[in-house]
Amino acid sequence: MNQGTITTELRMGFARIVFAHPSHNSMPSGLLAELVRKIDEAAADPAVRAVLLRSAGDETFCAGANLDELLAIEDEATGTDFFMGFANVILAMRRCPKPIVVAVQGKAIGGGVGIAAAADYTLGCKGAQVRLSELAIAIGPFVILPALIRKMGVSAASELCWDTQWHDSRWAREHNLYQRVYAGPEELFREARLLAKRLAEHSPAATTRLKRSLWEGTDHWPEELARRAEITGQLVLTPEAKGALAKFKGK
């Protein structure tokens, strides 16, 4: 459990994927790689017609990158590989031919916001605040930015990037990160299951064609996200980033 867990359950035509980590559902590289594998498995399974992705608990959705692993990065190659973990999750969500619903039941930070943005349909609840703290730790949300711009537009993504404070779920709904917002986690998870079930009832051929159409213009993402991971892997080694990360972890 110290490295986190991911469970998959086949329900009424959809796969429910749940990730968990004891440190606020943060994502170390091993957990990111496992999440990619689970998404790819769901994509290849003919019994799966939709995917519901969520995290465990009812507080934090995802705290983004695991700070312990970030602080341990000592060279550019390791840094690039780590940030490619988030890139690979976004790319797996993009290439999955089935619609992916993400349920955000609590706070989402950094890469967690990227996962929410890469969904085909994102649901939140009142406590699902979002924050991009990357600039505050002397790096930047480069890897997840294409997903944010695609989902929210340049203006809203810019506000989220530059203003590193918390933005509430109402703001996220008004700026198209969330399609719907519910009162609390219980209602959110119930409605997310119902939505995934409804999506699973549609024609697989039609949903695949529709998803492909909605993701037009992203064929360059594998190369683009790799380039952005390299940039972040360089920045995380700077003295400013190392100092900021140490202070951030100590809060």
Side-chain angles (χ1 to χ4, degrees):
M1 181 60 184
N2 287 337
Q3 296 303 313
T5 61
I6 298 180
T7 59
T8 301
E9 180 183 358
L10 180 60
R11 294 203 166 187
M12 295 169 284
F14 69 91
R16 190 188 73 160
I17 302 174
V18 182
F19 64 89
H21 192 280
S23 181
H24 306 288
N25 289 329
S26 62
M27 302 292 278
S29 56
L31 197 62
L32 289 166
E34 179 67 5
L35 181 55
V36 170
R37 189 173 71 83
K38 294 292 187 182
I39 294 171
D40 285 343
E41 286 178 353
D45 188 345
V48 174
R49 294 190 172 191
V51 175
L52 170 57
L53 177 60
R54 49 159 289 199
S55 64
D58 57 7
E59 294 183 3
T60 304
F61 169 68
C62 178
N66 183 269
L67 287 181
D68 290 330
E69 194 165 354
L70 273 179
L71 284 166
I73 294 173
E74 295 183 349
D75 58 79
E76 288 186 16
T78 303
T80 298
D81 286 345
F82 177 79
F83 289 105
M84 273 305 299
F86 280 101
N88 288 332
V89 170
I90 292 172
L91 294 173
M93 294 174 73
R94 169 189 171 272
R95 68 176 171 260
C96 177
K98 292 117 186 221
I100 297 178
V101 177
V102 168
V104 184
Q105 83 281 19
K107 293 179 177 179
I109 306 172
V113 181
I115 292 172
D120 298 298
Y121 209 109
T122 310
L123 306 178
C125 66
K126 188 176 180 180
Q129 303 176 68
V130 295
R131 180 186 184 190
L132 295 184
S133 56
E134 284 87 345
L135 193 61
I137 54 175
I139 53 175
F142 300 105
V143 168
I144 67 172
L145 191 53
L148 291 172
I149 292 173
R150 174 184 173 272
K151 191 75 176 282
M152 308 172 68
V154 174
S155 178
S158 296
E159 181 179 346
L160 202 55
C161 290
W162 291 116
D163 183 357
T164 60
Q165 303 305 306
W166 288 104
H167 294 67
D168 63 22
S169 57
R170 180 178 178 181
W171 183 94
R173 173 65 184 91
E174 290 174 347
H175 293 83
N176 301 317
L177 181 61
Y178 301 155
Q179 275 63 63
R180 301 184 207 167
V181 173
Y182 298 97
E186 183 177 353
E187 182 183 10
L188 166 68
F189 292 148
R190 182 180 69 247
E191 294 300 322
R193 291 192 298 270
L194 290 173
L195 175 60
K197 180 179 179 294
R198 288 198 301 272
L199 292 175
E201 293 169 352
H202 296 309
S203 159
T207 55
T208 295
R209 292 291 185 92
L210 178 57
K211 178 161 182 173
R212 189 179 302 158
S213 295
L214 290 170
W215 281 86
E216 282 181 0
T218 63
D219 289 346
H220 66 292
W221 276 25
E223 295 78 18
E224 179 64 19
L225 268 57
R227 183 182 69 84
R228 289 167 177 266
E230 185 176 358
I231 292 171
T232 319
Q234 294 168 354
L235 287 173
V236 78
L237 296 173
T238 63
E240 294 87 354
K242 289 291 188 184
L245 281 167
K247 290 180 181 178
F248 200 79
K249 187 185 176 190
K251 289 183 180 180

